[in-house]
Amino acid sequence: MPAPTGASSHTPATTSAPSTEARTPLAERVAVHQAGHARVLALPTPIADVVSFRGSLWTAPDLGAGDELLQTLAVLLLDKGTQARDRFAVAEALEDRGAQLSFYSDDLRVGFSGRALSHDLPDVLDLLAEQLRTPLFDAAEFAKAKAQVAAGIRRSMDATGSQAAGLLSRRFYGPAHPNFMAEAAAELARLDAFTVDDVRAYHAAHFGSTQLLAAFAGDLEPERTAARVEATLGDWMPHTSVATYAEDATPETAGRATRAIADKHNLDVRIGHPLSLRRDHDDFLALYLGVYVLGGNFSARLMSHVRDDLGLTYGIGAQLAGIAVEHEGHALIRVTLSGPNLDRGIEATLAEFRRFVEHGITADELAEKQTTIAGTFSVGLATTRGLATALLVNAERNFEISYLDAYPDKIHALTLDEVNAAIRRHLDPDALHIGIAGTLPEAA
């Protein structure tokens, strides 16, 4: 994701929402408006003067044809000038208002986020619409963006974590899946062939108001905010492109893949297997909590055993990775190991995973992680930025706003039997793949 642009030293920093607000359900406080083709979610809070916002639109890329690279290039160029003002005027418009506005590419969507003083929000929304709808796509800036992307790809070739993750992804997914990570050489060759006209054509075909969502939180009036969105983006037409991507994994037989990288004596190891569930699956929360017990934080099992008890690593964790409502993902364990500890570390990790699946978690672990997960979620809603983000992500999943209110209770309502049943149903110690990157011992 490109770094935020236009940030100023006098940007308001106090965006924490008072705890008294949390006592009223979000579903009763969020106003939802249809602003032309855009759906607006607006949440007034007692925070004075500041509004945070976040939004996204469905771009429908053809992932197997390299559209993810074109989308990345297009996003990098959105803040480099519009047809009405150059990049310096864009930066000045934000700087003068102490506002923030940035863009990001997220698989099947393009997103934007920002923050502004309440009285400056209309001007910032005008600029946002201008950047989304009529970017300049200057040839010189395109060349810079292309070089930036190429440099990032080349850096990844020497990054053990990125290489290990790529090895695993290519064992799980085909090129058209959102979680697929192409080989760097193939990415560079594809990137080299793109021109600024390709980016212009991608923008024309894939940018529009299709599933356009915008969430706001802070010192605002919902009706006026929605009216401003409608005035700037409401008449932006949806595009007609249809997304081309694979929804499910196409895994190889469980096995091991390695990538030798010179002078990288701390090796990154990725272990996991594809999962047959999506974010809206009934088992998702139970499995999420179970995997959090395994490797979600410093008190998790993998950290306690492989690092603290055996001293084989400084870092190890586990997560559910790449899961969305549109497609499946995978279970993932990440561990960093020295060459002498490589085999022992992998063996210890695999053994702990097998124990976890066969015996499940304990009642004490359940209660502890329920408190941690629910508490972390609530803390994330304590700022206007966190509220806007939660509202957007929830809307992208097509969940009701009430899901955000119910989430902590859903976590606390999970039973030991439900969590352990989900673990046994979805995790398989005999299906694990291993990806290793770094300076390999001869035995590897």
Side-chain angles (χ1 to χ4, degrees):
M1 179 190 309
T5 59
S8 168
S9 60
H10 57 279
T11 298
T14 305
T15 58
S16 296
S19 60
T20 53
E21 282 294 295
R23 290 196 284 268
T24 303
L26 287 172
E28 297 178 15
R29 296 161 50 202
V30 177
V32 181
H33 295 271
Q34 193 64 36
H37 294 289
R39 186 179 180 218
V40 176
L41 300 93
L43 173 60
T45 74
I47 298 303
D49 301 327
V50 179
V51 178
S52 297
F53 58 91
R54 195 172 181 100
S56 70
L57 53 105
W58 177 267
T59 48
D62 182 347
L63 297 182
D67 277 2
E68 70 280 3
L69 277 176
L70 281 173
Q71 182 163 292
T72 296
L73 290 167
V75 166
L76 286 173
L77 292 171
L78 290 179
D79 65 353
K80 299 300 188 292
T82 71
Q83 294 175 20
R85 43 187 150 183
D86 63 23
R87 65 185 180 92
F88 301 105
V90 168
E92 184 179 6
L94 292 169
E95 179 69 22
D96 287 349
R97 294 164 177 79
Q100 297 176 348
L101 182 56
S102 62
F103 303 90
Y104 60 92
S105 177
D106 185 17
D107 293 330
L108 306 174
R109 306 184 74 90
V110 162
F112 54 86
S113 64
R115 186 169 58 177
L117 294 172
S118 301
H119 62 77
D120 289 328
L121 183 62
D123 291 338
V124 174
L125 290 179
D126 288 348
L127 177 59
L128 168 66
E130 192 178 310
Q131 290 176 286
L132 285 173
R133 300 180 67 166
T134 58
L136 181 59
F137 292 139
D138 175 73
E141 293 298 332
F142 167 76
K144 295 177 186 176
K146 191 172 177 180
Q148 178 183 338
V149 174
I153 295 172
R154 292 190 182 96
R155 284 194 300 271
S156 75
M157 297 171 70
D158 201 42
T160 54
S162 176
Q163 289 301 307
L167 290 171
L168 215 60
S169 81
R170 291 187 289 276
R171 296 187 69 84
F172 296 166
Y173 308 108
H177 196 281
N179 293 331
F180 179 81
M181 297 174 63
E183 287 279 10
E187 288 281 87
L188 289 170
R190 180 170 275 171
L191 177 66
D192 185 60
F194 288 140
T195 69
V196 68
D197 287 335
D198 293 323
V199 175
R200 292 189 183 112
Y202 182 81
H203 179 270
H206 294 268
F207 278 58
S209 60
T210 305
Q211 296 183 31
L212 177 58
L213 302 166
F216 299 82
D219 186 1
L220 58 84
E221 296 179 16
E223 292 78 10
R224 292 182 62 182
T225 302
R228 196 64 186 182
V229 172
E230 183 166 12
T232 56
L233 289 168
D235 64 343
W236 197 20
M237 295 302 295
H239 60 73
T240 58
S241 295
V242 178
T244 303
Y245 67 97
E247 297 180 352
D248 301 329
T250 54
E252 298 180 5
T253 303
R256 176 182 297 207
T258 60
R259 176 62 49 84
I261 304 176
D263 301 320
K264 298 289 184 179
H265 299 286
N266 284 329
L267 297 99
D268 267 298
V269 180
R270 300 293 184 266
I271 303 170
H273 66 67
L275 294 169
S276 58
L277 85 168
R278 302 186 185 189
R279 180 57 183 81
D280 53 357
H281 193 286
D282 289 343
D283 281 349
F284 178 83
L285 289 182
L287 186 62
Y288 173 81
L289 189 146
V291 173
Y292 200 93
V293 170
L294 176 66
N297 61 7
F298 279 97
S299 63
R301 284 195 189 181
L302 288 171
M303 189 70 79
S304 297
H305 181 60
V306 182
R307 190 191 78 156
D308 297 344
D309 294 343
L310 301 179
L312 294 173
T313 181
Y314 285 109
I316 188 169
Q319 67 186 96
L320 301 182
I323 297 177
V325 294
E326 299 91 356
H327 57 79
E328 299 172 351
H330 56 278
L332 176 67
I333 297 173
R334 311 171 315 280
V335 58
T336 302
L337 298 164
S338 66
N341 286 333
L342 180 63
D343 290 335
R344 288 183 59 212
I346 292 174
E347 290 171 5
T349 301
L350 296 177
E352 188 63 28
F353 184 80
R354 185 174 293 277
R355 282 192 293 270
F356 168 74
V357 174
E358 291 178 352
H359 301 292
I361 70 172
T362 68
D364 287 344
E365 289 173 325
L366 173 67
E368 177 191 347
K369 300 311 182 191
Q370 283 173 321
T371 299
T372 299
I373 293 170
T376 300
F377 176 80
S378 297
V379 169
L381 300 181
T383 65
T384 54
R385 189 191 303 272
L387 286 165
T389 299
L391 288 171
L392 175 66
V393 172
N394 196 66
E396 288 174 343
R397 292 170 177 164
N398 203 29
F399 291 176
E400 297 293 333
I401 297 172
S402 58
Y403 183 87
L404 296 174
D405 296 311
Y407 183 83
D409 291 336
K410 288 179 178 289
I411 293 296
H412 283 294
L414 292 169
T415 68
L416 192 63
D417 287 344
E418 287 173 336
V419 173
N420 286 334
I423 291 170
R424 290 191 298 270
R425 190 154 44 238
H426 295 282
L427 301 181
D428 182 0
D430 295 321
L432 291 172
H433 299 245
I434 302 173
I436 307 169
T439 303
L440 302 165
E442 290 184 8

